[in-house]
Amino acid sequence: MAASWLKDAIFYEIYPQSFYDTNGDGIGDFNGIIEKLDYVKSLGCNAIWLNPCFDSPFKDAGYDVRDYKKVAPRYGTNSDLYRLFGEAHRRGMRVILDLVPGHTSEEHPWFQASKKAEKNEYSDRYIWSNFCFEGCGGLNYVAGESERDGVYVLNFFKCQPALNYGFLHPDKPWQRAADSPAALATREAMKDVMRFWLDHGCDGFRVDMADSLVKFDDEQKTGTSAIWHDVRAMLDAEYPEAVLVAEWSHTALAIRAGFDAAFCLNDPWTGYPTLMRDYDRKHPEKPDNSYFRADGDGDIRRFLEPYLREYEATKDLGFISLITCNHDTVRPSWNLSDRELRLAYAFLFTMPGVPFLYYGDEIGMRYQDLPTHEGGYFRTGSRTPMQWDNTLNLGFSAGCADSLYLPVDSKRGAPTVAAQEKKPDSLLHFTRELLALRGEQADLRDNANLEIVHAEKGDAFVYRRGGLLIAVNPSAHEASAPADISGKSVLYAIGSGEAADAGIVLQPQSFVIFQ
Ligand code: NOJ
């Protein structure tokens, strides 16, 4: 049962390293986020997803947690984070943290104990084989780094050993069942982490690699889903307003497993291809057919087909979350012009589900070509400091330039909040108006119905949200669609559209909501 606040939620994702630095050390902090809460609220966002902010060696930007219950000192103290929860709540906003249940840092005390040759409480907290010269049946592993005889399984990078939630069908002496005492102990330890933060005022979790828990799970993720059902039951009983948002490659499975929402990530490494980034990094010679490009092939069906399948399967159970981008993808302004971005955002924020705006996308922050930092690799370029104004370090930090977490966008024309506040036609004001519209119109809310009216390659794409009829034409040419708009008036428009013999005609690069 989804938390009651979720149906109106619009999230803002904050990468804490890069949002706002108040102590001049070059890294963003909790006090900085508190100072900017009114700004986030002014955008129309009423909830925040904070990327991992826990104690960590930062070999994967904090997704390598060393202590689940202690924040990283570079962001402040636990008390600062509790204050952030309180300040957000005072403004009617919510904050969800990033829970990383599948793995820890190799420096986590559980893993340090688990590596030891003598048997101890944590020996089975991770997945180990019994013999150093034995592989793990296809799972990635590390051998030769422990006094313990055996190899350990990895969940992602080398620094991230997999926690042991058991195997669906254990068939080796070292594989534990998902209901074995060791696997249950891991699950209970993660529930304990969740209770800790919920008791201190957090409103739920974005769950990292939520589908990765039980090993050699089946296609339906039966083993992993059973764990989330159990977690959901705990939340329903103890924290009924807490939300769970999944990073899980299959949205419908995540929602059926008890998640309130799940990200639509056709391909988490490049953004979802067909809409905003139909670009293949392995084949840069291929044309970019992102639906929202004026020169794309105008085929919304590549996105719609899988989306609708998942939407129909889950619309009464939970929400699909569309994102402008996230800390793992290239920013949308990389391949979309200002006008194309507006059309893409207009679509994203008029679709059902719980939407997420990544910090800086509201001003069109640019993807930077940068060397890797904290395990970012190509993702580093989307993690640069927020651009507030044209003062030192674009207002992000009073520290010296080489102390910054990442360099700020130093090229000409770097967008800033201050400059765009002054321009009534800026992307910032555009985004704010769009989110306000979503907030005002009950038919645009997260749980209002979606119906596709017309979706053919090259035609205007038309869909209905409750009583509103919405038409989109991202192409450089006029486009039409058979849709009856007689008796309707324009509620909102980018460009224009009007009735014609065939139904509706939209001017190039237009988006119109009729009521
Ligand atoms: C997904 C996160 O979004 C990504 O940033 C991280 O590197 C991996 N999971 C591993 O935790």
Side-chain angles (χ1 to χ4, degrees):
M1 191 59 189
S4 59
W5 58 272
L6 207 56
K7 67 181 188 316
D8 300 316
I10 304 178
F11 273 87
Y12 191 74
E13 179 190 346
I14 294 181
Y15 187 73
Q17 288 90 321
S18 295
F19 199 53
Y20 188 48
D21 170 24
T22 56
N23 64 358
D25 66 354
I27 297 198
D29 44 52
F30 296 128
N31 286 334
I33 298 172
I34 293 171
E35 272 192 41
K36 298 294 184 183
L37 280 176
D38 289 328
Y39 166 76
V40 176
K41 190 173 179 187
S42 83
L43 296 173
C45 294
N46 50 19
I48 288 172
W49 156 28
L50 213 54
N51 286 115
C53 52
F54 314 106
D55 181 46
S56 166
F58 291 104
K59 289 187 177 174
D60 184 17
Y63 283 95
D64 46 331
V65 179
R66 187 165 48 198
D67 185 341
Y68 283 105
K69 295 187 181 174
K70 180 174 169 256
V71 302
R74 68 192 201 177
Y75 304 125
T77 61
N78 276 27
S79 303
D80 293 331
L81 180 55
Y82 307 155
R83 200 161 62 81
L84 168 58
F85 297 147
E87 289 293 328
H89 293 160
R90 217 163 55 75
R91 291 165 173 82
M93 300 168 77
R94 314 279 176 155
V95 181
I96 67 170
L97 297 178
D98 215 314
L99 182 75
V100 189
H103 48 267
T104 65
S105 157
E106 61 202 342
E107 293 184 20
H108 194 292
W110 295 343
F111 188 66
Q112 292 304 313
S114 199
K115 280 172 89 171
K116 292 205 158 68
E118 324 74 70
K119 192 117 182 96
N120 62 67
E121 188 186 343
Y122 299 101
S123 298
D124 285 340
R125 180 56 51 93
Y126 298 81
I127 307 172
W128 291 84
S129 71
N130 283 341
F131 181 51
C132 182
F133 300 94
E134 179 184 4
C136 285
L139 294 166
N140 289 337
Y141 65 90
V142 172
E145 289 226 340
S146 60
E147 63 182 35
R148 174 176 177 166
D149 189 5
V151 306
Y152 61 91
V153 171
L154 298 175
N155 221 31
F156 197 66
F157 286 159
K158 187 253 156 193
C159 62
Q160 291 157 319
L163 283 161
N164 182 15
Y165 291 88
F167 285 72
L168 187 64
H169 300 296
D171 65 359
K172 298 262 184 318
W174 51 269
Q175 296 179 358
R176 306 277 176 263
D179 60 358
S180 62
L184 291 178
T186 309
R187 190 194 301 192
E188 290 309 314
M190 210 44 66
K191 284 190 198 161
D192 175 56
V193 169
M194 296 172 87
R195 288 190 179 101
F196 177 85
W197 289 109
L198 291 166
D199 286 341
H200 282 104
C202 106
D203 297 292
F205 303 93
R206 174 268 188 187
V207 180
D208 185 70
M209 295 174 67
D211 53 351
S212 71
L213 307 190
V214 170
K215 298 307 177 199
F216 299 133
D217 214 343
D218 56 18
E219 267 193 13
Q220 292 303 305
K221 294 275 173 185
T222 315
T224 299
S225 297
I227 294 177
W228 290 117
H229 279 301
D230 179 43
V231 169
R232 185 75 250 174
M234 179 277 278
L235 293 177
D236 285 348
E238 298 173 34
Y239 308 93
E241 286 293 285
V243 309
L244 288 180
V245 183
E247 185 201 32
W248 184 314
S249 51
H250 196 310
T251 5
L253 287 185
I255 291 172
R256 285 206 201 95
F259 281 84
D260 302 288
F263 294 110
C264 175
L265 300 167
N266 296 6
D267 173 0
W269 304 114
T270 54
Y272 33 107
T274 50
L275 268 188
M276 292 160 72
R277 186 145 316 100
D278 194 359
Y279 170 76
D280 185 346
R281 12 185 85 243
K282 292 196 198 103
H283 296 282
E285 74 286 355
K286 281 196 188 159
D288 178 353
N289 273 325
S290 309
Y291 177 69
F292 286 102
R293 276 183 69 110
D295 62 356
D297 69 356
D299 198 352
I300 188 71
R301 295 170 307 180
R302 284 199 306 276
F303 165 77
L304 273 188
E305 203 190 284
Y307 174 85
L308 287 176
R309 216 179 313 121
E310 307 244 315
Y311 173 71
E312 292 301 333
T314 57
K315 64 181 177 188
D316 300 323
L317 301 172
F319 300 103
I320 297 179
S321 284
L322 297 181
I323 61 174
T324 58
C325 87
N326 71 21
H327 64 290
D328 290 333
T329 72
V330 175
R331 284 194 183 266
S333 63
W334 182 73
N335 66 326
L336 298 185
S337 68
D338 181 80
R339 179 66 169 232
E340 291 165 347
L341 276 181
R342 289 175 195 229
L343 295 167
Y345 292 2
F347 172 73
L348 291 182
F349 291 112
T350 55
M351 285 287 280
V354 178
F356 282 69
L357 172 67
Y358 185 54
Y359 82 97
D361 279 348
E362 69 276 23
I363 54 169
M365 261 174 68
R366 301 183 292 207
Y367 176 78
Q368 307 290 306
D369 217 346
L370 289 171
T372 185
H373 186 52
E374 294 192 345
Y377 299 94
F378 84 88
R379 310 174 295 179
T380 306
S382 293
R383 299 174 174 186
T384 55
M386 179 67 178
Q387 297 159 198
W388 295 104
D389 55 39
N390 66 359
T391 61
L392 181 71
N393 302 320
L394 299 185
F396 162 67
S397 165
C400 57
D402 54 10
S403 73
L404 300 190
Y405 176 73
L406 284 171
V408 294
D409 182 350
S410 58
K411 286 190 229 76
R412 254 186 94 220
T416 66
V417 172
Q420 295 201 9
E421 289 285 10
K422 289 195 207 111
K423 281 182 65 192
D425 64 345
S426 63
L427 186 63
L428 174 61
H429 283 292
F430 166 85
T431 307
R432 211 176 250 150
E433 280 158 26
L434 188 64
L435 297 190
L437 183 72
R438 184 178 176 106
E440 285 153 19
Q441 295 285 329
D443 283 346
L444 293 180
R445 298 259 162 86
D446 304 1
N447 58 352
N449 197 44
L450 165 77
E451 188 196 324
I452 304 302
V453 177
H454 185 78
E456 291 294 332
K457 185 172 175 177
D459 287 359
F461 165 47
V462 185
Y463 54 106
R464 215 187 294 279
R465 295 293 316 279
L468 303 175
L469 192 81
I470 304 178
V472 194
N473 171 25
S475 82
H477 314 283
E478 200 178 87
S480 58
D484 184 12
I485 51 167
S486 52
K488 292 197 182 291
S489 60
V490 172
L491 171 69
Y492 175 87
I494 304 169
S496 63
E498 56 196 25
D501 291 347
I504 179 175
V505 173
L506 251 69
Q507 292 309 304
Q509 295 196 290
S510 290
F511 174 97
V512 185
I513 305 180
F514 299 95
Q515 63 180 354

